[in-house]
Amino acid sequence: LGLLKQRCINTRNGNGLVMQHVGKNFRDCYNSLPYALTNAQKKVMREIYSDMKSGHQMNRLLQGDVGSGKTLVALLSALLAVDNGYQACIMAPTEVLARQHYASLSKFLLKTGVKVALLTGSTKQKDRKPVLSSLADGETHILVGTHALIEDNVVFKSLGLAVIDEQHRFGVEQRSRLWNKNNGIPPHILVMTATPIPRTLAMTLYGDLDVSVIDELPPGR
């Protein structure tokens, strides 16, 4: 009850970035997908879009099995932010996972003008400088990486959405440093997990989060 009360207060008081526009990058990516979204993915996208255009900060937990298509939902959500003039970031707990996300996103974004970059702990200094520079001036639209994203020298021009994969691997303090990257209004937050969590437990662990579930696998998986 305490968590729910706090969430009510946050929702009532919190200003959120309004992202009503569904633009060209979203449509180009969506129309070039090699397969149709599952009904579960479409349902979750409607919930996310409803949050992002509401005027309140989104705090949503996306739960779904490995292979259910969470990364694609994260990408489409990021494109909503980009089409409304904001940047997005996707933070993964390991470098291997970050590189997988980067490769997937790059493939899906071929038909768009969206620029995606990768930043991890092992990114060499000479490669890091141009990434940080293009991020600060808004040229990079989506940044994928590990906990390297929360370092002080990583500065966004206008962060609108932060996606965190396997959020239980990141501490509260680490996550809050990401929230503060936007200088003022906090970005929308989407956290993803493949760990099945009963609804009652989800409310106890993540009382400040709305819960979406992808309960359907794409055909053939």
Side-chain angles (χ1 to χ4, degrees):
L1 284 172
L3 283 166
L4 291 173
K5 180 185 176 187
Q6 189 57 47
R7 178 169 142 199
C8 271
I9 292 169
N10 291 346
T11 305
R12 214 167 35 232
N13 297 343
N15 290 328
L17 302 167
V18 179
M19 301 183 187
Q20 290 183 317
H21 180 57
V22 179
K24 187 176 187 306
N25 291 310
F26 181 98
R27 295 185 192 283
D28 286 350
C29 178
Y30 188 90
N31 292 333
S32 68
L33 291 175
Y35 42 75
L37 295 188
T38 63
N39 288 328
Q41 285 173 308
K42 289 177 182 175
K43 174 179 71 74
V44 167
M45 276 309 307
R46 285 195 294 270
E47 292 168 350
I48 289 169
Y49 178 48
S50 176
D51 282 353
M52 291 174 73
K53 68 180 182 179
S54 69
H56 298 294
Q57 184 200 20
M58 173 172 74
N59 278 291
R60 187 166 287 279
L61 172 68
L62 175 57
Q63 181 186 314
D65 284 344
V66 173
S68 63
K70 297 189 297 297
T71 303
L72 186 52
V73 168
L75 170 60
L76 291 172
S77 304
L79 290 176
L80 279 175
V82 171
D83 280 337
N84 282 274
Y86 296 97
Q87 294 163 295
C89 68
I90 299 177
M91 189 161 79
T94 66
E95 191 158 326
V96 170
L97 196 52
R99 288 185 182 281
Q100 282 178 356
H101 284 330
Y102 176 71
S104 298
L105 267 57
S106 299
K107 184 178 67 179
F108 285 129
L109 292 171
L110 283 175
K111 299 281 176 69
T112 71
V114 175
K115 184 177 177 186
V116 58
L118 176 69
L119 184 68
T120 69
S122 68
T123 304
K124 292 185 171 63
Q125 196 60 38
K126 66 179 175 62
D127 300 322
R128 188 176 289 249
K129 274 189 173 178
V131 169
L132 295 179
S133 173
S134 68
L135 191 68
D137 63 21
E139 278 181 30
T140 291
H141 302 109
I142 302 174
L143 182 64
V144 181
T146 56
H147 59 275
L149 301 193
I150 61 176
E151 291 172 3
D152 291 338
N153 62 348
V154 178
V155 178
F156 293 85
K157 184 179 182 184
S158 184
L159 180 61
L161 172 71
V163 180
I164 301 176
D165 198 7
E166 295 299 347
Q167 90 132 20
H168 58 276
R169 308 259 199 107
F170 296 103
V172 173
E173 187 181 338
Q174 286 176 305
R175 296 199 304 273
S176 67
R177 286 177 66 182
L178 201 52
W179 296 184
N180 295 325
K181 290 278 184 187
N182 203 36
N183 301 324
I185 300 177
H188 293 298
I189 305 300
L190 180 67
V191 294
M192 306 194 297
T193 183
T195 309
I197 306 169
R199 188 161 193 85
T200 46
L201 184 57
M203 285 179 69
T204 308
L205 284 174
Y206 310 114
D208 57 335
L209 298 175
D210 296 305
V211 179
S212 289
V213 181
I214 300 180
D215 54 4
E216 179 184 3
L217 289 175
R221 283 193 176 171

